Amino acid sequence: MDLRQLEAEPTAEEREAIDARLGDDPARDGTHFAAGFGRSRRHLLLPALQAAQARVGFISEGAFGYVCKRLEVPPADAHGVATFYALLSLEPRPPRVLHVCDDIACRCRGANELIADLERTTGDENGAAWLRSPCLGLCDQAPAAFLTVAGQSPAERLFGPVTAEQARAALAGDTLPEMRRQRLPQAGGPSLRLLKRVGVVDPGSLDDYLAHGGYLALRRAFELGAEGVIREVLDSKLTGRGGAAFPTGRKWEAVARQPARPRYLICNADESEPGTFKDRVLMEGDPFAVVESMTICAYATGCEQGFVYVRGEYPLAVERLQGAIDAARARGLLGGDLMGRGVRFDVEIRKGAGAYICGEETAIFNSIEGFRGEPRNKPPFPVESGLFGKPTVVNNVETLVNVLGIVLEGGAAYARIGTPQSTGPKLFCVCGCVERPGVYEVAFGATLRDLLALAGGVAGDRKPQAILLGGAAGAFVRGDELDIPLTFEGARAAGVTLGSGVVMVFDDSVDLPSVLLRIAAFFRDESCGQCVPCRVGTVRQEEALLRIVTGRPRGSTTAELALLDEIGRAMKDASICGLGQTAYGAIESAARRLRLFEEGKLR
Ligand SMILES: Cc1cc2nc3c(=O)[nH]c(=O)nc-3n(C[C@H](O)[C@H](O)[C@H](O)COP(=O)(O)O)c2cc1C
Ligand code: SF4
Ligand code: FES
């Protein structure tokens, strides 16, 4: 593609797909309260590119040039954006693409064998291709796959557990694989708070949601008033469930105090941390709860426009959320006059396109604004200057859903759940070598042992070798450290982190060095490349690890380990964002805590 001279025209179907997406701009038809957009339509760049690719399978030169022209974005600039996202392709691709997960939880459940089979048995299929993928957020139904079919409806399917036969059938286009069933080990459990409606309520019916207590919390919020809601959230001591554990009430208070308008709310549903799938379960199973809790947050903080930024590999979550948004709007529960109270708030979904870094809160701003999803320097913090330079609340899906109970029961009552420093219920994504992988809700304070018991223990009665807490950005503990309490303070005391709630179990048959190599490759792939410590450090880290694991160190293993430490320290101290700062955590814990690289430990 010669970016200085884009001469190709889009085909009629590409033009139609792009026009439909660009015409469908809520900022223009009055349902979108986003004055901060100004006159620029650049924020539609990613949706327009996604629309073109969904129609024909890739972004052709004609489609690319047409999008650039319509949005007045220089082609060189737009090229930088299009090439940033793994799910977008500027190269011709067949219409049918199967993304097969080869990440660590799926490897515990046969992903390597599945991929070896596909390598053996598939060749140049007509109109189809398969690619390896990082974690698809379906680790409870591993091994997982994500199918995209250009020009069809539905155009995307996430499914699992997938067999080689099913993968070949999906590639051949004989049938679209059946949508998987939700795996909900605790469905209908009496003590559930966050998951109480999941698997019980009809996610497509607003009436059913209302019959199960829906929208009582918003009513109560209006009675409390905006300041009253924030007071309850402060009293609850709720902390963010997206990984950073920041106090939610303080964030809301800070946005509510800002003089600038408009203010924005982003529900962070990017969920791409390997091993994490709790937000998917909430969005698919109880989508109205996400919309209602966003509405309460918006009311309390004075945000008039909300976005749900959902990872691109979650088509069912997108479909159900869109259904919930449309139904809520049709009944006056979103729009210009919520419940007749004169309050305005509306929500738009934005889909990610295969970039882990876009879960970082400031990277989301750039992604929605139509730029590469690169994190911004902080300060300024999002509460002052976030999306479109305006005050912005960013909260994780699970954090927001907690607010429903807080508003209904009161912050003080909520704070009595869990421990004094880690209040409330918590969702954990238990996966890997366990009998019943899934999302489990427990009160903070349960131990690893309790959680493992809920999940039926290690599969096949094997011994736990190690447990990865917090995902790739987290750390390993040994298989005999099951009494660690799953609280922020308990994790801190044990020198680990809960992160986004991943509990990934590896039994004694798993080859941990290959798991570490996969984690190192993940960070190397996902680094946005903006800052040197992370861009170079993640590459050097992978190289050093590979030398140690293959037994071909340049000097001694001790010297390689010292080098790994040095690289890790540089990434931690000097990286712009959490990706670089955490990229060494799991490897360091394997070296220190599991003593994996000591004499005789490497197989
Ligand atoms: C590389 C990276 C990826 C992240 N991915 C997510 C994510 O997928 N979902 C999420 O809620 N937070 C994610 N975060 C954390 C967000 O930056 C932010 O702290 C969070 O969305 C705030 O919401 P909370 O306070 O409700 O947790 C990520 C952070 C980093 C550094
Ligand atoms: S730490 Fe890594 S991911 Fe974060 S801004 Fe720097 S290069 Fe990008
Ligand atoms: S879906 Fe494969 S590791 Fe998560």
Side-chain angles (χ1 to χ4, degrees):
M1 193 182 287
D2 181 355
L3 295 174
R4 286 160 307 179
Q5 218 168 0
L6 291 173
E7 282 174 351
E9 289 294 322
T11 62
E13 57 177 349
E14 287 169 334
R15 188 187 291 267
E16 185 194 61
I18 295 163
D19 286 347
R21 185 60 188 88
L22 294 184
D24 180 22
D25 175 4
R28 301 169 107 200
D29 69 13
T31 59
H32 202 304
F33 311 115
F37 281 10
R39 287 208 313 276
S40 167
R41 303 184 75 213
R42 181 171 181 140
H43 67 97
L44 291 172
L45 180 57
L46 182 55
L49 294 172
Q50 286 169 321
Q53 173 153 326
R55 185 60 68 93
V56 297
F58 74 106
I59 303 159
S60 70
E61 182 178 326
F64 179 76
Y66 184 62
V67 169
C68 292
K69 206 180 296 172
R70 282 215 52 188
L71 295 178
E72 297 174 15
V73 180
D77 193 353
H79 189 265
V81 176
T83 51
F84 186 82
Y85 296 97
L87 287 182
L88 296 183
S89 175
L90 287 166
E91 299 298 322
R93 252 191 202 171
R96 192 172 273 265
V97 178
L98 189 69
H99 303 260
V100 183
C101 180
D102 80 337
D103 219 322
I104 44 185
C106 282
R107 286 179 177 204
C108 291
R109 295 190 157 246
N112 281 340
E113 294 73 13
L114 168 65
I115 285 172
D117 190 319
L118 292 179
E119 276 171 345
R120 247 189 349 265
T121 56
T122 58
D124 283 342
E125 265 73 19
N126 219 354
W130 68 271
L131 303 168
R132 290 169 184 260
S133 167
C135 175
L136 289 165
L138 197 70
C139 328
D140 52 339
Q141 287 153 80
F146 173 57
L147 179 70
T148 57
V149 188
Q152 265 193 27
S153 179
E156 295 157 336
R157 289 269 167 110
L158 178 62
F159 62 104
V162 59
T163 62
E165 208 171 306
Q166 287 168 328
R168 278 192 292 274
L171 284 169
D174 299 340
T175 48
L176 268 183
E178 270 305 299
M179 209 56 163
R180 75 220 130 73
R181 292 247 163 88
Q182 282 273 38
R183 184 188 261 273
L184 304 166
Q186 291 176 304
S191 56
L192 299 177
R193 291 166 183 273
L194 303 173
L195 296 177
K196 67 179 174 193
R197 276 182 292 258
V198 176
V200 174
V201 78
D202 173 357
S205 163
L206 177 52
D207 286 325
D208 205 27
Y209 182 65
L210 293 171
H212 284 85
Y215 280 99
L216 292 179
L218 182 59
R219 251 174 234 291
R220 176 74 187 130
F222 284 137
E223 286 165 17
L224 289 167
E227 282 179 19
V229 172
I230 294 182
R231 205 167 39 245
E232 296 297 341
V233 176
L234 283 166
D235 287 350
S236 74
K237 299 191 199 151
L238 172 67
T239 53
R241 308 300 201 228
F246 189 83
T248 306
R250 274 181 36 209
K251 189 183 286 188
W252 289 20
E253 204 176 28
V255 170
R257 279 203 199 118
Q258 298 298 318
R261 296 232 168 220
R263 301 171 191 156
Y264 294 105
L265 162 61
I266 294 176
C267 171
N268 189 345
D270 196 46
E271 193 163 70
S272 306
E273 180 68 51
T276 318
F277 44 94
K278 64 189 178 67
D279 297 337
R280 174 182 56 73
V281 168
L282 286 172
M283 290 185 286
E284 290 178 353
D286 199 5
F288 286 99
V290 180
V291 177
E292 183 186 358
S293 58
M294 285 181 73
T295 311
I296 293 171
C297 172
Y299 167 62
T301 56
C303 297
E304 293 180 334
Q305 180 62 45
F307 291 89
V308 193
Y309 190 93
V310 189
R311 74 175 292 187
E313 294 89 341
Y314 281 0
L316 185 60
V318 169
E319 183 189 316
R320 293 202 170 150
L321 279 173
Q322 192 60 59
I325 291 166
D326 294 343
R329 196 181 288 135
R331 294 251 194 122
L333 296 166
L334 285 178
D337 184 18
L338 301 185
M339 285 184 171
R341 306 266 178 165
V343 176
R344 311 199 319 174
F345 178 62
D346 214 319
V347 179
E348 184 184 339
I349 296 176
R350 287 298 176 99
K351 276 169 58 175
Y356 166 63
I357 192 57
C358 284
E360 198 280 337
E361 55 189 3
T362 61
I364 300 185
F365 305 152
N366 281 339
S367 182
I368 294 179
E369 290 180 22
F371 296 91
R372 291 163 69 87
E374 289 168 349
R376 299 176 183 172
N377 274 308
K378 291 187 263 192
F381 292 99
V383 293
E384 288 169 9
S385 175
L387 186 64
F388 302 109
K390 300 293 180 187
T392 305
V393 183
V394 182
N395 271 133
N396 171 259
V397 175
E398 182 191 350
T399 312
L400 287 166
V401 170
N402 267 280
V403 170
L404 300 176
I406 292 170
V407 166
L408 282 173
E409 294 170 36
Y414 177 96
R416 286 194 286 277
I417 305 165
T419 68
Q421 291 173 63
S422 305
T423 61
K426 176 77 194 97
L427 299 182
F428 287 98
C429 309
V430 187
C431 58
C433 311
V434 291
E435 203 60 55
R436 287 190 298 277
V439 172
Y440 290 88
E441 177 179 328
V442 292
F444 270 116
T447 63
L448 257 181
R449 190 183 304 283
D450 299 332
L451 207 57
L452 211 57
L454 275 178
V458 180
D461 271 339
R462 297 197 75 109
K463 284 206 167 59
Q465 178 183 184
I467 295 141
L468 181 61
L469 293 180
F476 287 97
V477 297
R478 294 188 311 274
D480 61 3
E481 293 183 287
L482 297 182
D483 292 318
I484 294 178
L486 297 170
T487 57
F488 297 119
E489 64 278 16
R492 216 172 13 249
V496 288
T497 164
L498 295 185
S500 51
V502 175
V503 174
M504 199 182 290
V505 179
F506 299 95
D507 71 22
D508 51 359
S509 72
V510 173
D511 179 40
L512 282 182
S514 72
V515 170
L516 291 187
L517 283 172
R518 181 68 189 86
I519 291 174
F522 173 79
F523 282 114
R524 188 248 304 134
D525 267 355
E526 299 294 341
S527 166
C528 81
Q530 188 183 192
C531 60
V532 176
C534 171
R535 183 178 67 233
V536 179
T538 51
V539 175
R540 296 288 171 261
Q541 167 170 278
E542 187 186 18
E543 290 168 354
L545 189 62
L546 189 63
R547 288 193 297 270
I548 297 173
V549 170
T550 54
R552 287 198 286 271
R554 284 191 301 210
S556 65
T557 299
T558 312
E560 294 287 7
L561 286 172
L563 176 63
L564 265 181
D565 259 348
E566 199 182 323
I567 297 166
R569 228 183 4 259
M571 290 196 289
K572 204 175 196 168
D573 293 346
S575 293
I576 288 182
C577 86
L579 187 147
Q581 289 157 9
T582 58
Y584 180 48
I587 294 163
E588 182 180 27
S589 64
R592 296 244 160 87
R593 198 167 200 124
L594 308 183
R595 299 179 185 282
L596 193 68
F597 305 122
E598 282 186 357
E599 202 65 48
K601 283 275 178 90
L602 284 184
R603 273 171 283 199

